[in-house]
Amino acid sequence: MKRTSRLAAWLLAAGVGTLAASGVASSAARAEDGAAALAGKTCGTLASRVAEIPGSGPVFLRSYDSSFGVGQTSELPLREAAFTYDNALAVIALVACGKTEPALRIGESLLSAATLDRARRQGRLRNTYRAGAQTQKPIPPNGWWDVTANRWFEDAYQVGSATGNVAWAGLALMTLGEATGEERFRNGAAELARWVVANTADPRGPGGFNGGVQGFDDKPQALTWKATEHNTDLVALFGWLERSGTAGDWAGPEKAARGFLDRMWADGGGHFPTGTAPDGVTVNRATSGLDAQLWPLLLRGAPEAWRAALDYAEKAHGVDGGFDFNDDRDGMWVEGTAQAALVYRLLGRPDAAQRLLAEVGKEVSRGGHVWATREDSITTGLAIGPDSTTDDFRYYRRPHLAVTAWTVLAAVGWNPFTGERVK
């Protein structure tokens, strides 16, 4: 029996009128209808953005939407940027929507990039590619022509390979493998996982895997810090590869990534620290990250004790309408608020999930993408890159692909770490 039906029966037994009971049921129905409407709108937005790119071949979607003149960025590195993380999430969201064909167009680009990089390495996936139809092989990373300087530029982060981004691309390919039954997608995910193991494994301190590589091909710079978020992504990817029977040793890497999470949990005393300092050993206590609290709860077999991280997030990250990225609580991070809605659904708290989805639904732009923040900008407490001297990474109020995809996942009830619907 549904929760609303049980509650209605209790109200009747307690002598409360039928009108009140039906009011509760209709309220729950309206909430469910609202989630369905939000899912329909955002699913349609993602599918339409793929359809706008002519042909039927591989594509990458622009991360920052500028439809209807909304959200246009003047920053050349971002104008046509298609971030790998964002596009991986779009693949998963489209599959969750039942729209496999547009998901395949993005997935083919991820698979091609995973199979061969311009550095002639398999599994080397860049953080950012150029949006649009992908006709070149290997697919080049994002770049732009600067008229003033009269030369071509690339960005050190965008041509780098962050461990978490590679893992999310692997999860997208595993999702397509499940949806289509085509082994080539699982094999592509395995290539990405092998690159991670070969290039980012770090046994120091809590073990696990470091942040990846940043910089240009002639002078790559290892990112020696380790992130709870990245290692969470890897537990999901390695575990999925192992369950699917994909060729390779995945149990060992999964154990290493999971061991990192267990160590962070033990050091956090009821929540997850963001990871380590650049020495790969010292626990980073300078700031708190919402994704570090939420994502581990989406893992298959997550210990019940970890649910305390959600209680911590509510206190340390809760703001009016939802959640902030970090614990300075200077505004609503819409992407993280959608993530929290999905976690609430997974943990059997539908009322809390629907409350957050209603707030996220207020942030849909005229173009159909969801705004990244409610305020003009919010801090994260993180740095853009290893050369940053301040915590200069911020989120801005722009219509964004990843936020839209997470909204789909929360509204539909789809766990991206397992490829399963949340009950």
mmCIF file of all heavy atoms in Angstrom, residues 27-68:
data_model
loop_
_atom_site.group_PDB
_atom_site.id
_atom_site.type_symbol
_atom_site.label_atom_id
_atom_site.label_comp_id
_atom_site.label_asym_id
_atom_site.label_seq_id
_atom_site.Cartn_x
_atom_site.Cartn_y
_atom_site.Cartn_z
ATOM 1 N N SER A 27 -2.905 16.111 -2.458
ATOM 2 C CA SER A 27 -1.660 16.864 -2.328
ATOM 3 C C SER A 27 -0.479 16.028 -2.795
ATOM 4 O O SER A 27 0.403 16.514 -3.510
ATOM 5 C CB SER A 27 -1.464 17.301 -0.872
ATOM 6 O OG SER A 27 -0.223 17.950 -0.720
ATOM 7 N N ALA A 28 -0.461 14.756 -2.384
ATOM 8 C CA ALA A 28 0.618 13.869 -2.822
ATOM 9 C C ALA A 28 0.564 13.663 -4.328
ATOM 10 O O ALA A 28 1.601 13.622 -5.004
ATOM 11 C CB ALA A 28 0.507 12.533 -2.099
ATOM 12 N N ALA A 29 -0.657 13.530 -4.855
ATOM 13 C CA ALA A 29 -0.796 13.348 -6.298
ATOM 14 C C ALA A 29 -0.297 14.572 -7.053
ATOM 15 O O ALA A 29 0.354 14.451 -8.095
ATOM 16 C CB ALA A 29 -2.261 13.069 -6.647
ATOM 17 N N ARG A 30 -0.599 15.771 -6.508
ATOM 18 C CA ARG A 30 -0.120 16.986 -7.164
ATOM 19 C C ARG A 30 1.400 17.041 -7.169
ATOM 20 O O ARG A 30 2.018 17.482 -8.144
ATOM 21 C CB ARG A 30 -0.688 18.222 -6.464
ATOM 22 C CG ARG A 30 -2.157 18.493 -6.769
ATOM 23 C CD ARG A 30 -2.540 19.911 -6.360
ATOM 24 N NE ARG A 30 -2.340 20.137 -4.939
ATOM 25 C CZ ARG A 30 -3.263 19.883 -4.012
ATOM 26 N NH1 ARG A 30 -4.430 19.370 -4.362
ATOM 27 N NH2 ARG A 30 -3.017 20.151 -2.751
ATOM 28 N N ALA A 31 2.029 16.596 -6.062
ATOM 29 C CA ALA A 31 3.488 16.580 -5.994
ATOM 30 C C ALA A 31 4.064 15.630 -7.035
ATOM 31 O O ALA A 31 5.044 15.944 -7.724
ATOM 32 C CB ALA A 31 3.945 16.176 -4.595
ATOM 33 N N GLU A 32 3.438 14.445 -7.167
ATOM 34 C CA GLU A 32 3.902 13.491 -8.160
ATOM 35 C C GLU A 32 3.711 14.034 -9.569
ATOM 36 O O GLU A 32 4.567 13.868 -10.437
ATOM 37 C CB GLU A 32 3.164 12.162 -7.989
ATOM 38 C CG GLU A 32 3.532 11.426 -6.707
ATOM 39 C CD GLU A 32 2.742 10.139 -6.531
ATOM 40 O OE1 GLU A 32 1.970 9.785 -7.450
ATOM 41 O OE2 GLU A 32 2.900 9.496 -5.481
ATOM 42 N N ASP A 33 2.587 14.693 -9.804
ATOM 43 C CA ASP A 33 2.341 15.299 -11.106
ATOM 44 C C ASP A 33 3.379 16.380 -11.406
ATOM 45 O O ASP A 33 3.828 16.531 -12.543
ATOM 46 C CB ASP A 33 0.936 15.900 -11.160
ATOM 47 C CG ASP A 33 -0.151 14.831 -11.189
ATOM 48 O OD1 ASP A 33 0.190 13.657 -11.455
ATOM 49 O OD2 ASP A 33 -1.321 15.182 -10.929
ATOM 50 N N GLY A 34 3.751 17.138 -10.366
ATOM 51 C CA GLY A 34 4.754 18.178 -10.549
ATOM 52 C C GLY A 34 6.099 17.606 -10.946
ATOM 53 O O GLY A 34 6.788 18.146 -11.820
ATOM 54 N N ALA A 35 6.485 16.497 -10.304
ATOM 55 C CA ALA A 35 7.748 15.844 -10.655
ATOM 56 C C ALA A 35 7.693 15.313 -12.074
ATOM 57 O O ALA A 35 8.673 15.421 -12.833
ATOM 58 C CB ALA A 35 8.042 14.711 -9.671
ATOM 59 N N ALA A 36 6.567 14.732 -12.458
ATOM 60 C CA ALA A 36 6.424 14.204 -13.813
ATOM 61 C C ALA A 36 6.498 15.321 -14.848
ATOM 62 O O ALA A 36 7.117 15.172 -15.907
ATOM 63 C CB ALA A 36 5.107 13.452 -13.939
ATOM 64 N N ALA A 37 5.867 16.462 -14.539
ATOM 65 C CA ALA A 37 5.909 17.601 -15.462
ATOM 66 C C ALA A 37 7.330 18.139 -15.596
ATOM 67 O O ALA A 37 7.784 18.471 -16.699
ATOM 68 C CB ALA A 37 4.965 18.694 -14.978
ATOM 69 N N LEU A 38 8.055 18.207 -14.473
ATOM 70 C CA LEU A 38 9.432 18.679 -14.498
ATOM 71 C C LEU A 38 10.305 17.723 -15.304
ATOM 72 O O LEU A 38 11.155 18.148 -16.093
ATOM 73 C CB LEU A 38 9.963 18.820 -13.069
ATOM 74 C CG LEU A 38 11.384 19.344 -12.904
ATOM 75 C CD1 LEU A 38 11.535 20.725 -13.521
ATOM 76 C CD2 LEU A 38 11.772 19.380 -11.418
ATOM 77 N N ALA A 39 10.096 16.424 -15.103
ATOM 78 C CA ALA A 39 10.850 15.432 -15.862
ATOM 79 C C ALA A 39 10.568 15.566 -17.354
ATOM 80 O O ALA A 39 11.490 15.538 -18.182
ATOM 81 C CB ALA A 39 10.491 14.022 -15.386
ATOM 82 N N GLY A 40 9.300 15.726 -17.709
ATOM 83 C CA GLY A 40 8.951 15.851 -19.111
ATOM 84 C C GLY A 40 9.587 17.064 -19.760
ATOM 85 O O GLY A 40 10.089 16.978 -20.890
ATOM 86 N N LYS A 41 9.572 18.179 -19.044
ATOM 87 C CA LYS A 41 10.135 19.410 -19.601
ATOM 88 C C LYS A 41 11.642 19.300 -19.786
ATOM 89 O O LYS A 41 12.178 19.646 -20.844
ATOM 90 C CB LYS A 41 9.792 20.590 -18.691
ATOM 91 C CG LYS A 41 10.242 21.942 -19.246
ATOM 92 C CD LYS A 41 9.764 23.073 -18.379
ATOM 93 C CE LYS A 41 10.132 24.431 -18.962
ATOM 94 N NZ LYS A 41 9.534 24.686 -20.277
ATOM 95 N N THR A 42 12.337 18.815 -18.769
ATOM 96 C CA THR A 42 13.799 18.755 -18.853
ATOM 97 C C THR A 42 14.276 17.639 -19.777
ATOM 98 O O THR A 42 15.281 17.797 -20.469
ATOM 99 C CB THR A 42 14.404 18.615 -17.446
ATOM 100 O OG1 THR A 42 13.709 17.601 -16.703
ATOM 101 C CG2 THR A 42 14.309 19.935 -16.683
ATOM 102 N N CYS A 43 13.545 16.526 -19.812
ATOM 103 C CA CYS A 43 13.872 15.481 -20.789
ATOM 104 C C CYS A 43 13.729 16.021 -22.200
ATOM 105 O O CYS A 43 14.585 15.784 -23.074
ATOM 106 C CB CYS A 43 12.948 14.271 -20.619
ATOM 107 S SG CYS A 43 13.300 13.228 -19.189
ATOM 108 N N GLY A 44 12.662 16.760 -22.425
ATOM 109 C CA GLY A 44 12.444 17.337 -23.744
ATOM 110 C C GLY A 44 13.523 18.326 -24.130
ATOM 111 O O GLY A 44 13.940 18.396 -25.299
ATOM 112 N N THR A 45 13.996 19.098 -23.159
ATOM 113 C CA THR A 45 15.064 20.064 -23.428
ATOM 114 C C THR A 45 16.328 19.360 -23.895
ATOM 115 O O THR A 45 16.949 19.754 -24.904
ATOM 116 C CB THR A 45 15.365 20.887 -22.170
ATOM 117 O OG1 THR A 45 14.223 21.681 -21.840
ATOM 118 C CG2 THR A 45 16.561 21.802 -22.377
ATOM 119 N N LEU A 46 16.733 18.322 -23.187
ATOM 120 C CA LEU A 46 17.955 17.599 -23.568
ATOM 121 C C LEU A 46 17.831 16.986 -24.951
ATOM 122 O O LEU A 46 18.742 17.084 -25.782
ATOM 123 C CB LEU A 46 18.265 16.516 -22.537
ATOM 124 C CG LEU A 46 18.599 16.988 -21.119
ATOM 125 C CD1 LEU A 46 18.872 15.784 -20.216
ATOM 126 C CD2 LEU A 46 19.795 17.931 -21.113
ATOM 127 N N ALA A 47 16.706 16.345 -25.211
ATOM 128 C CA ALA A 47 16.509 15.707 -26.516
ATOM 129 C C ALA A 47 16.487 16.740 -27.631
ATOM 130 O O ALA A 47 17.052 16.508 -28.721
ATOM 131 C CB ALA A 47 15.212 14.901 -26.510
ATOM 132 N N SER A 48 15.876 17.883 -27.388
ATOM 133 C CA SER A 48 15.791 18.907 -28.432
ATOM 134 C C SER A 48 17.157 19.507 -28.740
ATOM 135 O O SER A 48 17.446 19.846 -29.897
ATOM 136 C CB SER A 48 14.814 20.009 -28.021
ATOM 137 O OG SER A 48 15.303 20.762 -26.927
ATOM 138 N N ARG A 49 18.029 19.627 -27.723
ATOM 139 C CA ARG A 49 19.365 20.170 -27.976
ATOM 140 C C ARG A 49 20.183 19.227 -28.853
ATOM 141 O O ARG A 49 20.971 19.663 -29.679
ATOM 142 C CB ARG A 49 20.093 20.440 -26.658
ATOM 143 C CG ARG A 49 19.525 21.592 -25.869
ATOM 144 C CD ARG A 49 19.554 22.902 -26.662
ATOM 145 N NE ARG A 49 19.009 23.981 -25.874
ATOM 146 C CZ ARG A 49 17.722 24.299 -25.795
ATOM 147 N NH1 ARG A 49 16.834 23.615 -26.490
ATOM 148 N NH2 ARG A 49 17.317 25.315 -25.058
ATOM 149 N N VAL A 50 20.003 17.937 -28.677
ATOM 150 C CA VAL A 50 20.678 16.981 -29.563
ATOM 151 C C VAL A 50 20.102 17.096 -30.973
ATOM 152 O O VAL A 50 20.843 17.145 -31.964
ATOM 153 C CB VAL A 50 20.520 15.541 -29.045
ATOM 154 C CG1 VAL A 50 21.130 14.549 -30.041
ATOM 155 C CG2 VAL A 50 21.191 15.381 -27.679
ATOM 156 N N ALA A 51 18.781 17.174 -31.083
ATOM 157 C CA ALA A 51 18.122 17.226 -32.395
ATOM 158 C C ALA A 51 18.492 18.482 -33.171
ATOM 159 O O ALA A 51 18.460 18.480 -34.416
ATOM 160 C CB ALA A 51 16.608 17.149 -32.211
ATOM 161 N N GLU A 52 18.848 19.558 -32.471
ATOM 162 C CA GLU A 52 19.208 20.804 -33.140
ATOM 163 C C GLU A 52 20.520 20.705 -33.909
ATOM 164 O O GLU A 52 20.784 21.521 -34.797
ATOM 165 C CB GLU A 52 19.306 21.939 -32.119
ATOM 166 C CG GLU A 52 17.958 22.386 -31.572
ATOM 167 C CD GLU A 52 18.093 23.290 -30.367
ATOM 168 O OE1 GLU A 52 19.241 23.621 -29.997
ATOM 169 O OE2 GLU A 52 17.061 23.647 -29.772
ATOM 170 N N ILE A 53 21.345 19.721 -33.584
ATOM 171 C CA ILE A 53 22.616 19.542 -34.275
ATOM 172 C C ILE A 53 22.361 18.672 -35.497
ATOM 173 O O ILE A 53 21.924 17.528 -35.365
ATOM 174 C CB ILE A 53 23.665 18.901 -33.351
ATOM 175 C CG1 ILE A 53 23.862 19.779 -32.106
ATOM 176 C CG2 ILE A 53 24.990 18.717 -34.075
ATOM 177 C CD1 ILE A 53 24.768 19.171 -31.057
ATOM 178 N N PRO A 54 22.583 19.190 -36.709
ATOM 179 C CA PRO A 54 22.188 18.478 -37.929
ATOM 180 C C PRO A 54 22.820 17.095 -38.047
ATOM 181 O O PRO A 54 23.917 16.838 -37.531
ATOM 182 C CB PRO A 54 22.694 19.404 -39.050
ATOM 183 C CG PRO A 54 22.784 20.752 -38.412
ATOM 184 C CD PRO A 54 23.187 20.497 -36.991
ATOM 185 N N GLY A 55 22.098 16.217 -38.727
ATOM 186 C CA GLY A 55 22.587 14.870 -38.979
ATOM 187 C C GLY A 55 22.185 13.911 -37.881
ATOM 188 O O GLY A 55 21.381 14.225 -37.003
ATOM 189 N N SER A 56 22.800 12.730 -37.950
ATOM 190 C CA SER A 56 22.513 11.693 -36.952
ATOM 191 C C SER A 56 23.787 11.153 -36.325
ATOM 192 O O SER A 56 23.762 10.152 -35.631
ATOM 193 C CB SER A 56 21.739 10.539 -37.610
ATOM 194 O OG SER A 56 22.491 9.999 -38.697
ATOM 195 N N GLY A 57 24.907 11.831 -36.564
ATOM 196 C CA GLY A 57 26.195 11.360 -36.071
ATOM 197 C C GLY A 57 26.514 11.827 -34.672
ATOM 198 O O GLY A 57 25.689 12.455 -33.993
ATOM 199 N N PRO A 58 27.736 11.537 -34.206
ATOM 200 C CA PRO A 58 28.153 11.865 -32.846
ATOM 201 C C PRO A 58 28.137 13.362 -32.568
ATOM 202 O O PRO A 58 28.480 14.171 -33.441
ATOM 203 C CB PRO A 58 29.583 11.311 -32.776
ATOM 204 C CG PRO A 58 29.668 10.299 -33.871
ATOM 205 C CD PRO A 58 28.781 10.807 -34.952
ATOM 206 N N VAL A 59 27.757 13.723 -31.339
ATOM 207 C CA VAL A 59 27.696 15.127 -30.949
ATOM 208 C C VAL A 59 28.177 15.287 -29.504
ATOM 209 O O VAL A 59 28.184 14.338 -28.726
ATOM 210 C CB VAL A 59 26.260 15.697 -31.052
ATOM 211 C CG1 VAL A 59 25.722 15.560 -32.462
ATOM 212 C CG2 VAL A 59 25.321 15.024 -30.045
ATOM 213 N N PHE A 60 28.549 16.503 -29.183
ATOM 214 C CA PHE A 60 28.681 16.946 -27.799
ATOM 215 C C PHE A 60 27.786 18.167 -27.628
ATOM 216 O O PHE A 60 27.681 19.009 -28.527
ATOM 217 C CB PHE A 60 30.126 17.309 -27.445
ATOM 218 C CG PHE A 60 30.989 16.139 -27.081
ATOM 219 C CD1 PHE A 60 32.220 15.941 -27.718
ATOM 220 C CD2 PHE A 60 30.605 15.241 -26.105
ATOM 221 C CE1 PHE A 60 33.028 14.873 -27.382
ATOM 222 C CE2 PHE A 60 31.400 14.160 -25.762
ATOM 223 C CZ PHE A 60 32.618 13.977 -26.407
ATOM 224 N N LEU A 61 27.158 18.278 -26.460
ATOM 225 C CA LEU A 61 26.270 19.405 -26.179
ATOM 226 C C LEU A 61 27.014 20.512 -25.443
ATOM 227 O O LEU A 61 27.855 20.249 -24.575
ATOM 228 C CB LEU A 61 25.076 18.957 -25.331
ATOM 229 C CG LEU A 61 24.105 17.962 -25.972
ATOM 230 C CD1 LEU A 61 22.955 17.682 -25.016
ATOM 231 C CD2 LEU A 61 23.593 18.469 -27.303
ATOM 232 N N ARG A 62 26.662 21.733 -25.765
ATOM 233 C CA ARG A 62 27.231 22.890 -25.085
ATOM 234 C C ARG A 62 26.819 22.869 -23.621
ATOM 235 O O ARG A 62 25.660 22.617 -23.285
ATOM 236 C CB ARG A 62 26.702 24.153 -25.772
ATOM 237 C CG ARG A 62 27.409 25.432 -25.419
ATOM 238 C CD ARG A 62 26.989 26.545 -26.351
ATOM 239 N NE ARG A 62 25.539 26.632 -26.455
ATOM 240 C CZ ARG A 62 24.910 27.085 -27.525
ATOM 241 N NH1 ARG A 62 25.582 27.433 -28.600
ATOM 242 N NH2 ARG A 62 23.587 27.182 -27.522
ATOM 243 N N SER A 63 27.760 23.140 -22.738
ATOM 244 C CA SER A 63 27.473 23.096 -21.298
ATOM 245 C C SER A 63 26.651 24.284 -20.835
ATOM 246 O O SER A 63 25.774 24.147 -19.982
ATOM 247 C CB SER A 63 28.780 23.033 -20.502
ATOM 248 O OG SER A 63 29.399 21.771 -20.643
ATOM 249 N N TYR A 64 26.922 25.466 -21.401
ATOM 250 C CA TYR A 64 26.203 26.673 -21.008
ATOM 251 C C TYR A 64 25.226 27.048 -22.113
ATOM 252 O O TYR A 64 25.633 27.428 -23.205
ATOM 253 C CB TYR A 64 27.181 27.822 -20.740
ATOM 254 C CG TYR A 64 28.063 27.567 -19.553
ATOM 255 C CD1 TYR A 64 29.335 27.015 -19.724
ATOM 256 C CD2 TYR A 64 27.636 27.850 -18.261
ATOM 257 C CE1 TYR A 64 30.157 26.759 -18.628
ATOM 258 C CE2 TYR A 64 28.445 27.603 -17.168
ATOM 259 C CZ TYR A 64 29.696 27.060 -17.358
ATOM 260 O OH TYR A 64 30.505 26.804 -16.279
ATOM 261 N N ASP A 65 23.946 26.925 -21.830
ATOM 262 C CA ASP A 65 22.926 27.160 -22.832
ATOM 263 C C ASP A 65 22.696 28.653 -23.010
ATOM 264 O O ASP A 65 22.715 29.410 -22.039
ATOM 265 C CB ASP A 65 21.620 26.485 -22.418
ATOM 266 C CG ASP A 65 20.555 26.596 -23.490
ATOM 267 O OD1 ASP A 65 20.769 26.030 -24.574
ATOM 268 O OD2 ASP A 65 19.533 27.250 -23.249
ATOM 269 N N SER A 66 22.481 29.078 -24.258
ATOM 270 C CA SER A 66 22.211 30.495 -24.515
ATOM 271 C C SER A 66 20.953 30.669 -25.371
ATOM 272 O O SER A 66 20.822 31.644 -26.090
ATOM 273 C CB SER A 66 23.408 31.143 -25.228
ATOM 274 O OG SER A 66 23.696 30.473 -26.450
ATOM 275 N N SER A 67 20.042 29.709 -25.287
ATOM 276 C CA SER A 67 18.805 29.796 -26.048
ATOM 277 C C SER A 67 17.979 31.010 -25.610
ATOM 278 O O SER A 67 17.987 31.403 -24.435
ATOM 279 C CB SER A 67 17.977 28.528 -25.855
ATOM 280 O OG SER A 67 18.706 27.396 -26.286
ATOM 281 N N PHE A 68 17.290 31.606 -26.553
ATOM 282 C CA PHE A 68 16.427 32.764 -26.289
ATOM 283 C C PHE A 68 17.214 33.932 -25.703
ATOM 284 O O PHE A 68 16.682 34.765 -24.995
ATOM 285 C CB PHE A 68 15.281 32.381 -25.335
ATOM 286 C CG PHE A 68 14.406 31.284 -25.852
ATOM 287 C CD1 PHE A 68 14.626 29.964 -25.472
ATOM 288 C CD2 PHE A 68 13.379 31.554 -26.729
ATOM 289 C CE1 PHE A 68 13.829 28.938 -25.948
ATOM 290 C CE2 PHE A 68 12.583 30.534 -27.213
ATOM 291 C CZ PHE A 68 12.797 29.228 -26.835
#
